[in-house]
Amino acid sequence: MKELYENSVRSFTTLMLQMVQNHLNSVEGYDDVMQDHWANLYPHRTITDGTEVEECLEFLNRLNKALKDAEVQTISNAQYFWNETDTPEIAEMLIGFIGYKVDDNLAECARMVKQKAQNTLNKAKKKRTTANYRKLLGMFMDDIIPMANDYGYDLVDEKKQLTLSGLYLLEWFKRKYWNEY
């Protein structure tokens, strides 16, 4: 009976690992918060017949927490950002992780970042160039760094280097510039 239990746990864990891998594959190439949320969950080892059941259960517990965090995030985003595009993702980037509840301050800041991005991207020329992208990116970051700071979200550290949240927003702006405008 013990062997059946252990094999069942390993099989279920393998199935769940494949689910996580499928999700990671679907967002491959994007540097965003949700991708990092799932990537941090993924173990560095493959589950085999010899894997300890405790290791499988540890992964399943982490998966359960990750799913609950993602659910909290989805519900919170739906309450504040019903029928909005980009704003929930921007809120995730400002916070830098999954599992928080959106509040009025974060919602307003995310909407302001989106508005600044749209205003900046509207200045894009028809022909996209690296030089124009760099110029617009500089304008965007110069606008949002102090603005986000006023709302209590740090996009740069004490050395004036972008934080993870700042890097997420930079990558998001890059995708918007090259793919949508």
Side-chain angles (χ1 to χ4, degrees):
M1 192 65 136
K2 181 180 178 190
E3 186 176 340
L4 177 62
Y5 166 75
E6 290 176 351
N7 286 335
S8 296
V9 169
R10 286 185 196 102
S11 294
F12 184 69
T13 303
T14 301
L15 179 67
M16 293 297 99
L17 278 169
Q18 188 58 52
M19 179 198 76
V20 172
Q21 185 60 52
N22 289 345
H23 183 76
L24 285 172
N25 290 344
S26 73
V27 294
E28 188 174 354
Y30 293 103
D31 186 15
D32 68 16
V33 181
M34 191 58 84
Q35 178 189 12
D36 288 349
H37 178 70
W38 294 114
N40 288 335
L41 176 68
Y42 204 77
H44 300 287
R45 298 185 34 172
T46 304
I47 302 298
T48 65
D49 290 340
T51 302
E52 294 292 325
V53 171
E54 290 77 23
E55 186 177 346
C56 293
L57 293 173
E58 179 186 321
F59 167 76
L60 292 172
N61 283 332
R62 288 190 354 248
L63 175 62
N64 184 44
K65 182 183 179 328
L67 289 170
K68 285 180 181 179
D69 287 349
E71 179 183 25
V72 165
Q73 194 63 64
T74 301
I75 291 168
S76 186
N77 283 347
Q79 290 171 342
Y80 271 86
F81 304 121
W82 183 80
N83 207 20
E84 291 185 49
T85 58
D86 292 325
T87 317
E89 184 181 4
I90 293 168
E92 290 172 1
M93 290 183 269
L94 287 167
I95 293 294
F97 60 89
I98 301 299
Y100 61 89
K101 291 189 177 182
V102 178
D103 61 17
D104 292 336
N105 185 60
L106 177 60
E108 184 179 335
C109 185
R111 289 182 181 115
M112 293 298 296
V113 169
K114 180 180 178 181
Q115 182 180 15
K116 295 279 187 188
Q118 288 172 334
N119 292 344
T120 304
L121 289 166
N122 285 337
K123 298 174 186 173
K125 298 178 176 149
K126 294 291 181 196
K127 183 177 179 183
R128 290 175 188 37
T129 64
T130 301
N132 192 41
Y133 162 70
R134 287 181 181 154
K135 176 183 170 192
L136 293 177
L137 175 64
M139 291 169 54
F140 173 67
M141 296 306 282
D142 286 347
D143 283 346
I144 68 163
I145 288 171
M147 183 198 68
N149 193 45
D150 290 344
Y151 282 92
Y153 304 103
D154 294 323
L155 302 182
V156 293
D157 61 19
E158 56 279 345
K159 296 178 184 175
K160 301 298 180 201
Q161 300 293 314
L162 288 175
T163 63
L164 188 57
S165 294
L167 291 170
Y168 285 140
L169 286 164
L170 183 145
E171 185 66 25
W172 175 80
F173 185 86
K174 178 181 175 182
R175 286 194 312 268
K176 291 291 181 187
Y177 178 83
W178 291 108
N179 297 329
E180 294 186 19
Y181 283 86

